[in-house]
Amino acid sequence: MEINSIALVGNPNSGKTSVFNNLTGLAQHVGNYPGVTVEKKSGFVTIQDKKISITDLPGTYSIYPRSEDEKIVFDLLNNTGHPDFPDAVVVVVDASNLERNLLLFTQIYDRKIPVILVLNMIDVADKSKLEIDVDKLSEMFGGVPIIKMNSRTGSGIDDLKEAIINYKKLAGHYPLMPVNSNGTALSVPESDVQIEETRSRYQKINQYLKFVIKKKQGDQKNLNSKIDRFVVHPVFGYLTFLGILFLMFQMVYSFAEVPMDLIDGVFFSLSQWTKSTLPAGVFSDLLAEGLIPGLGGVVIFIPQISLLFVFIVILEETGYMSRVVFIMDRLMRPFGLNGKSVVPLISGVACAIPAIMATRTIDHWKDRLVTILVTPLMSCSARLPVYTLLIALVIPDQTIGVFNLKGLTLLGLYLLGLVMALVVALVFKAILKTNQKSFLVMELPKYKLPHIKNVLLAVWEKVSVFIFEAGKIILAISIILWVLASYGPGDEQDEAAKSIPIPEEELGQTDYENQVNSVRLEHSYIGYLGKGIEPLISPLGYDWKIGIALITSFAAREVFVGSLATIYSVGDDFEEGESLINRMQNEKFFETGLPVYTLASGVSLMIFYVFAMQCMSTLAIVYRETKSWKWPLIQTIYMSILAYVGALISYNILS
């Protein structure tokens, strides 16, 4: 049998994605399944000069669908006409927990789908003193190829490739039990047919395993249980989680500072060189004042975003993130959230879009809707560039004990978003009524050391999305902003420039040029737009230039930085040392001469961005998930009110 495509299937925490990464490396991409917003990860592996496509299906405990993710697996494997129906299925199981993992395998095997069984985490099984008779297990299932593997180290990956390329269809297929032909019963969650069949399967699996697994002698103490006594403790568990968050944001801010300064200097020098080397004209100005500052606004934050994702992936790889879900369930219940809501909320620290898509694992409508409505309050990585810029501008470079005040501020902004998400969830709990009850059922995976290859692949995937998706938006808006800031209606810019008296002495030439650039910007198209909204935002401590950045950042929050970089670069002569932060520190209100960026206005802006719904893509996903514009509209209104009121209060307190 020739295999051209395979699907990877397995329980959550079985190491399935690690197997996928070992097979495909960088030859993978992420998209969506046709017609739905469930993430589809696919890639290619070349074995003996043959290119084979691989699809990594969502993790599931059973072929019976209870969520949108599991429905994808059911629909694909239950329909040979499905566009992604594979030639064979590789079922990845946790070798240290075969009883539970073999349920999914037997369901697929009994549907007579060509299958290869991977006993992953074989090292964990060995440490647990489990001896698995692979030959006997294969014999019980008619000679199914079985591969022992440790996906973290890549051990066994060559055996798996050989099994794929040399796969032969089984001559005899001995089902564990007959497949129920009632398609309706199979697709209805918790149907009597499903429950009875699942119970019967577990009974037969246990009978098989008596002949397959031997427990070696030994009194090895359970390290997982010892650690969990502390990590999931009702008091120490929360303190541990807070401590990890605290350490994470301190390191993200401290370690990224040097490479960020280096990148900032490189782009400043590039703009300066472009301005002084290329012939004067529109094209040179576009490059020096639009494209290069806009590109710099993307690249400069790669160090921080990379570090943030490194920490998140490590927490997931070690198994700690599942413990966070478990302990946070106790906190979520009083606020009307399902324990499964924790996963989208934590994912929201990376990006609200996949986080909202992750709510499909929540069974109950009310819990899922409330989670969708509050998830954007979690500070995503797109807010990180905004926070970083504003913290650098207005927060003193001081330490409290051994802790950096800027790092503490960053942690505080993330915690503020979490607290407000819980408060808003409590409000929606009171408004939305339902008689449904929800429960959290999950398995705590065994602790394991993170595999560097998996961490790097995951970080590259996330960072590349930021670079190529957000970067395209930022660059496009940077060009538009430059045009709007460089030109104005009629001759108004020239007339305004003529009103500035020309200095007689050369010493006043710099001030004169700055005044000319300022009035030309003020009489540009973007200047009129900014002036139009200035009365609305001036109570928050903002000028019209900040107002422009607020408007453009609705496309994506991180555009705020690129917009300011472009606005403050237009007409700039790029004096030595004048980076974006320097130019913002020197920015003053024209009428009063007072600094625009103070502690009050800077904190006000941070609070605004903690609460504001400023991401068109997030609104689009909310619409697709709720099938109505009602909820995105409600979400935008309540978050905008929160942002404005919160910014107004903080500005007046600190002024």
Side-chain angles (χ1 to χ4, degrees):
M1 174 185 176
E2 186 177 63
I3 293 179
N4 296 304
S5 64
I6 64 173
L8 285 179
V9 178
N11 291 182
N13 301 310
S14 64
K16 174 176 59 65
T17 299
S18 295
V19 174
F20 176 76
N21 288 338
N22 274 297
L23 286 172
T24 61
L26 290 175
Q28 55 180 258
H29 62 274
V30 178
N32 287 334
Y33 288 93
V36 297
T37 52
V38 176
E39 187 176 86
K40 172 186 178 181
K41 187 177 287 187
S42 56
F44 294 93
V45 59
T46 301
I47 309 174
Q48 298 180 12
D49 297 325
K50 180 175 176 57
K51 195 174 184 180
I52 298 172
S53 67
I54 302 175
T55 302
D56 183 15
L57 296 180
T60 179
Y61 291 105
S62 166
I63 202 171
Y64 301 143
R66 289 175 175 79
S67 67
E68 288 297 327
D69 277 0
E70 293 177 341
K71 190 173 184 297
I72 288 291
V73 180
F74 175 82
D75 289 345
L76 191 153
L77 299 182
N78 202 46
N79 177 14
T80 56
H82 194 287
D84 290 320
F85 189 82
D87 295 321
V89 174
V90 174
V91 181
V92 181
V93 302
D94 178 356
S96 66
N97 197 347
L98 280 182
E99 178 185 359
R100 176 182 54 74
N101 279 242
L102 283 181
L103 173 67
L104 177 62
F105 166 74
T106 61
Q107 290 174 330
I108 295 173
Y109 171 80
D110 281 354
R111 304 193 77 76
K112 297 186 177 180
I113 299 173
V115 64
I116 297 172
L117 179 61
V118 172
L119 302 183
N120 196 26
M121 303 184 190
I122 199 67
D123 57 323
V124 179
D126 289 340
K127 290 178 182 177
S128 302
K129 304 296 183 182
L130 296 178
E131 189 176 280
I132 303 171
D133 190 333
V134 172
D135 293 334
K136 189 176 288 292
L137 183 61
S138 176
E139 181 184 340
M140 288 178 171
F141 289 102
V144 163
I146 299 180
I147 310 298
K148 285 185 176 182
M149 194 169 178
N150 179 358
S151 60
R152 289 178 52 252
T153 64
S155 172
I157 192 68
D158 290 335
D159 295 334
L160 176 57
K161 290 179 179 179
E162 185 177 348
I164 293 172
I165 202 69
N166 295 322
Y167 187 86
K168 295 180 180 179
K169 193 167 185 178
L170 303 178
H173 198 99
Y174 310 107
L176 189 72
M177 60 188 300
V179 177
N180 189 288
S181 60
N182 188 337
T184 303
L186 288 177
S187 62
V188 178
E190 305 294 345
S191 69
D192 291 339
V193 174
Q194 288 184 13
I195 295 171
E196 181 57 37
E197 185 176 343
T198 300
R199 185 183 296 115
S200 299
R201 284 188 182 277
Y202 273 127
Q203 289 175 351
K204 291 195 175 184
I205 289 170
N206 283 322
Q207 291 173 7
Y208 277 28
L209 292 181
K210 288 177 182 178
F211 299 98
V212 173
I213 295 180
K214 290 182 181 179
K215 181 79 173 177
K216 298 177 186 177
Q217 294 299 317
D219 56 352
Q220 182 187 29
K221 294 182 179 179
N222 192 328
L223 181 61
N224 285 271
S225 299
K226 283 187 169 184
I227 298 175
D228 280 343
R229 287 175 189 171
F230 186 82
V231 170
V232 300
H233 189 275
V235 176
F236 296 118
Y238 291 114
L239 293 177
T240 302
F241 181 44
L242 252 173
I244 289 174
L245 284 179
F246 185 79
L247 180 64
M248 182 172 76
F249 288 114
Q250 286 286 321
M251 295 179 74
V252 163
Y253 202 92
S254 300
F255 289 177
E257 190 170 3
V258 172
M260 288 179 70
D261 288 344
L262 179 62
I263 293 170
D264 191 29
V266 168
F267 277 91
F268 167 74
S269 299
L270 184 58
S271 291
Q272 191 178 40
W273 179 87
T274 303
K275 191 84 169 178
S276 60
T277 304
L278 295 182
V282 174
F283 181 70
S284 297
D285 291 342
L286 173 61
L287 285 178
E289 301 170 2
L291 282 174
I292 293 175
L295 185 61
V298 178
V299 177
I300 192 172
F301 296 104
I302 290 177
Q304 281 196 327
I305 291 172
S306 299
L307 280 171
L308 179 64
F309 281 125
V310 164
F311 283 112
I312 291 175
V313 174
I314 287 175
L315 292 180
E316 292 174 345
E317 280 269 307
T318 57
Y320 178 71
M321 194 65 83
S322 297
R323 272 76 182 176
V324 173
V325 172
F326 178 75
I327 63 173
M328 292 297 288
D329 180 54
R330 305 166 190 161
L331 181 62
M332 294 293 154
R333 291 288 171 184
F335 295 94
L337 293 171
N338 189 301
K340 293 181 180 179
S341 302
V342 180
V343 176
L345 290 177
I346 293 176
S347 301
V349 174
C351 180
I353 294 170
I356 289 171
M357 289 160 53
T359 62
R360 290 193 165 211
T361 61
I362 301 174
D363 302 327
H364 300 284
W365 170 82
K366 176 183 175 181
D367 295 342
R368 181 169 180 246
L369 179 60
V370 173
T371 306
I372 288 173
L373 292 175
V374 303
T375 292
L377 286 169
M378 301 297 292
S379 287
C380 63
S381 59
R383 289 177 170 106
L384 189 58
V386 181
Y387 294 163
T388 303
L389 179 68
L390 295 174
I391 287 172
L393 271 171
V394 303
I395 302 299
D397 192 11
Q398 299 176 356
T399 57
I400 299 177
V402 296
F403 302 112
N404 186 287
L405 182 58
K406 293 183 177 182
L408 288 173
T409 304
L410 185 62
L411 173 62
L413 294 172
Y414 276 79
L415 290 179
L416 178 61
L418 171 61
V419 170
M420 186 53 68
L422 295 178
V423 171
V424 173
L426 191 62
V427 173
F428 280 118
K429 175 189 176 183
I431 296 174
L432 302 173
K433 302 296 183 181
T434 180
N435 295 322
Q436 287 182 310
K437 299 289 183 182
S438 60
F439 306 92
L440 175 67
V441 179
M442 66 174 297
E443 177 190 10
L444 297 182
K446 293 179 174 63
Y447 289 105
K448 54 185 182 292
L449 291 174
H451 187 220
I452 186 65
K453 181 179 179 181
N454 292 337
V455 174
L456 293 177
L457 281 172
V459 171
W460 166 248
E461 176 190 321
K462 303 298 183 185
V463 172
S464 61
V465 169
F466 171 76
I467 296 172
F468 297 113
E469 297 302 324
K472 287 187 293 187
I473 298 174
I474 293 172
L475 278 178
I477 289 179
S478 295
I479 295 172
I480 295 171
L481 283 176
W482 178 84
V483 173
L484 293 176
S486 298
Y487 300 95
D491 298 326
E492 292 189 24
Q493 284 185 305
D494 295 333
E495 294 299 324
K498 291 177 182 177
S499 66
I500 306 296
I502 300 174
E504 296 180 2
E505 298 181 2
E506 188 176 343
L507 292 175
Q509 190 64 30
T510 301
D511 288 338
Y512 168 72
E513 290 177 357
N514 288 337
Q515 290 182 50
V516 169
N517 290 334
S518 178
V519 298
R520 287 186 68 86
L521 184 62
E522 191 171 348
H523 288 80
S524 66
Y525 291 113
I526 204 171
Y528 284 112
L529 179 61
K531 288 290 184 180
I533 65 170
E534 194 171 32
L536 181 64
I537 60 175
S538 59
L540 308 181
Y542 311 158
D543 68 353
W544 62 271
K545 296 179 183 179
I546 295 176
I548 295 301
L550 291 178
I551 293 174
T552 57
S553 64
F554 187 74
R557 296 175 182 93
E558 60 270 44
V559 171
F560 175 83
V561 178
S563 297
L564 289 180
T566 301
I567 291 171
Y568 290 126
S569 295
V570 173
D572 201 318
D573 288 331
F574 299 105
E575 297 177 7
E576 187 66 32
E578 278 287 299
S579 66
L580 173 61
I581 289 180
N582 296 139
R583 292 195 291 272
M584 294 176 71
Q585 287 172 336
N586 296 328
E587 186 71 10
K588 292 179 172 58
F589 286 105
F590 181 77
E591 297 83 0
T592 63
L594 295 174
V596 172
Y597 296 97
T598 62
L599 179 64
S601 63
V603 171
S604 172
L605 265 172
M606 290 184 230
I607 299 298
F608 185 91
Y609 272 95
V610 169
F611 298 147
M613 166 58 82
Q614 287 191 281
C615 179
M616 292 186 294
S617 300
T618 301
L619 287 176
I621 288 297
V622 172
Y623 166 71
R624 290 188 64 182
E625 294 297 320
T626 60
K627 304 295 191 296
S628 169
W629 281 111
K630 170 185 174 182
W631 301 112
L633 183 61
I634 290 174
Q635 197 173 39
T636 303
I637 291 173
Y638 96 74
M639 291 184 70
S640 299
I641 293 173
L642 270 181
Y644 192 90
V645 173
L648 181 65
I649 292 173
S650 60
Y651 177 72
N652 281 280
I653 290 176
L654 294 174
S655 293

